[in-house]
Amino acid sequence: MYKKLERNDQCWCGSGKKYKVCHSAFDDKVLSFAKKGILIPDRGLLKTEKDIEGIKKSAVINMAVLDEVGDKIKAGMSTQEIDDIVMDVTTKMGGIPADLGYEGFPKSVCTSINDVVCHGIPTKDEILKDGDIINVDCSTILDGYFSDSSRMFCIGDVSPEKKRLVDVTKECVEVGLKNVIPWTQIGDMGHAVHEHAKKNGYTVVREIGGHGCGNEFHEEPWVSYVSRPKTGMLMVPGMVFTIEPMVNAGKQEIYIDEENDWTVRTVDGSMSAQWEVEVLVTEDGYELLSW
Ligand code: MF3
Ligand code: CO
C-alpha cells in the first residue's frame, strides 16, 4: 500500500521530481496517523493536478446540466423531460451521463420527488405538480473523469414544512463543508452533519451515503452522515469525495421499491431531501469541484 521509496526515486505522484523533494515528508505525515491506528487513504485515492483538472472539466458539464434543469423545471413537466435535458446538454458538451447503465440503472439521471429518498427513475408518466420537492442527482463522465452533484428544486408553491426541510438539508451540506479539515477524520465531518439535522428535528439516512469520486464513479471511502467523531478515514489533501446527506422529515427508515429495485422511499412516507457536492481536500480546507 505505502511502498517505501528511496530518497532519489521518482515520486509516486507523477510530478517527475525526486521523492525526497516531493512527497517524502507528506508520506511521513500520513504514516504518522496510521501508526496511531487511524485509517489512511491509499495513494491511489490522492488526486494529481491532472486528475483535478479533469474532474473540474467534467464538473463544468455537470453543473451546466443542473443549471439548465433549474431554468426549465416546472409543474406539468415529466421527469422523462428532465432526463432528456440531462442527456441533451451532457452529450452536446462532449460528456456521458454516468448514471446511464450504471449497475443497470436505466436512465441518465435520478429524479427523486417528495418521499423518494434517492434513485428515482425518470418516466414520462411521472408529472411534476405544484408543491412538489424534487432532487435531481446528476453525474457526468468526461475523458474518464467523474463529477457528481445534486440539487433540490421546489415546484411552484411549496409548503413551509417542505421548504424548511430543503433549506436545512442544504445547511447540512454547508456544515459538512466547514468540517472538511485536512488531517482530521471524515467521521467528524459526518457527525457534524448529523448534529445539524437532529437539531432541526430531522433524521439522516444511515444505509446510503457519499463516496470518493473522480477517477471512478464510486471510490473509497464510503462516507456516512451519522458517523461518530474520531472515526473513519483521515482527510488527506488530494482526496475527493461527495457530501450528500439524505435528510428525512420523519423517521430514518427506508425501503427499496421492489417494482424496479432502485427507487428508495421513506418507510413512514415522510418527505426526504438531499443536496450533493463533490469536494477536494486541500492543505488548508477544501475546494468545491461540483455543486
Ligand atoms: N448519483 C448518485 C450518487 O450520488 C448515484 C446514482 S447511481 C444510479 O452517488 F445508478 F442510480 F444512477
Ligand atoms: Co454521489
Side-chain angles (χ1 to χ4, degrees):
M1 189 163 78
Y2 266 70
K3 185 170 158 293
K4 183 99 182 87
L5 296 180
E6 297 303 327
R7 290 168 50 74
N8 289 323
D9 286 346
Q10 285 226 332
C11 191
W12 55 262
C13 77
S15 65
K17 291 189 210 156
K18 286 186 176 170
Y19 182 55
K20 64 183 175 193
V21 296
C22 198
H23 273 86
S24 171
F26 180 93
D27 280 1
D28 287 345
K29 185 165 182 179
V30 173
L31 287 167
S32 73
F33 286 90
K35 282 199 195 92
K36 289 189 270 183
I38 294 172
L39 181 66
I40 59 168
D42 276 357
R43 279 176 182 149
L45 293 180
L46 304 181
K47 272 55 184 174
T48 63
E49 286 302 320
K50 179 168 171 271
D51 293 335
I52 293 163
E53 283 318 304
I55 298 166
K56 283 182 177 170
K57 281 191 194 150
S58 171
V60 167
I61 301 177
N62 211 53
M63 294 189 283
V65 171
L66 286 169
D67 288 347
E68 183 75 7
V69 170
D71 285 346
K72 299 226 168 109
I73 201 165
K74 60 175 191 328
M77 183 186 239
S78 72
T79 48
Q80 179 58 50
E81 286 173 79
I82 298 173
D83 195 80
D84 293 342
I85 294 170
V86 172
M87 183 49 124
D88 191 51
V89 176
T90 306
T91 52
K92 280 198 175 118
M93 293 180 75
I96 303 165
D99 286 358
L100 188 61
Y102 175 77
E103 292 191 3
F105 191 78
K107 295 294 171 90
S108 297
V109 67
C110 298
T111 49
S112 304
I113 302 175
N114 295 333
D115 66 316
V116 176
V117 172
C118 65
H119 301 165
I121 302 175
T123 64
K124 64 179 180 9
D125 309 318
E126 186 178 49
I127 309 295
L128 289 173
K129 300 184 307 297
D130 190 68
D132 282 344
I133 56 171
I134 178 172
N135 172 275
V136 179
D137 188 342
C138 188
S139 311
T140 299
I141 316 173
L142 179 72
D143 300 330
Y145 293 106
F146 289 77
S147 51
D148 187 7
S149 53
S150 80
R151 300 181 194 164
M152 293 297 297
F153 299 100
C154 292
I155 307 302
D157 253 337
V158 163
S159 72
E161 292 77 24
K162 284 186 178 179
K163 179 81 172 56
R164 193 175 81 89
L165 175 67
V166 169
D167 290 345
V168 169
T169 305
K170 190 170 198 183
E171 288 167 17
C172 283
V173 172
E174 285 155 7
V175 167
L177 284 170
K178 280 205 199 85
N179 285 277
V180 177
I181 303 167
W183 314 108
T184 66
Q185 283 168 272
I186 211 160
D188 298 332
M189 185 281 293
H191 177 71
V193 171
H194 193 195
E195 288 301 306
H196 190 72
K198 277 200 289 193
K199 196 169 78 191
N200 283 282
Y202 298 141
T203 62
V204 176
V205 170
R206 314 182 89 83
E207 298 88 339
I208 314 173
H211 50 93
C213 188
N215 298 34
E216 305 282 345
F217 195 171
H218 295 113
E219 303 172 358
E220 280 194 77
W222 185 75
V223 186
S224 167
Y225 309 102
V226 294
S227 45
R228 303 303 312 162
K230 307 267 177 282
T231 63
M233 193 178 278
L234 186 70
M235 288 187 275
V236 172
M239 281 170 68
V240 173
F241 58 84
T242 66
I243 302 181
E244 51 173 318
M246 297 166 196
V247 178
N248 297 348
K251 300 214 167 84
Q252 53 113 106
E253 282 84 8
I254 55 169
Y255 71 97
I256 300 175
D257 193 328
E258 281 178 9
E259 234 167 77
N260 60 28
D261 268 341
W262 275 106
T263 307
V264 178
R265 290 198 173 77
T266 58
V267 168
D268 63 6
S270 66
M271 296 297 108
S272 186
Q274 180 186 31
W275 293 80
E276 174 177 20
V277 297
E278 182 173 0
V279 63
L280 167 71
V281 182
T282 62
E283 291 291 347
D284 52 7
Y286 67 86
E287 185 181 350
L288 272 175
L289 300 182
S290 189
W291 62 87

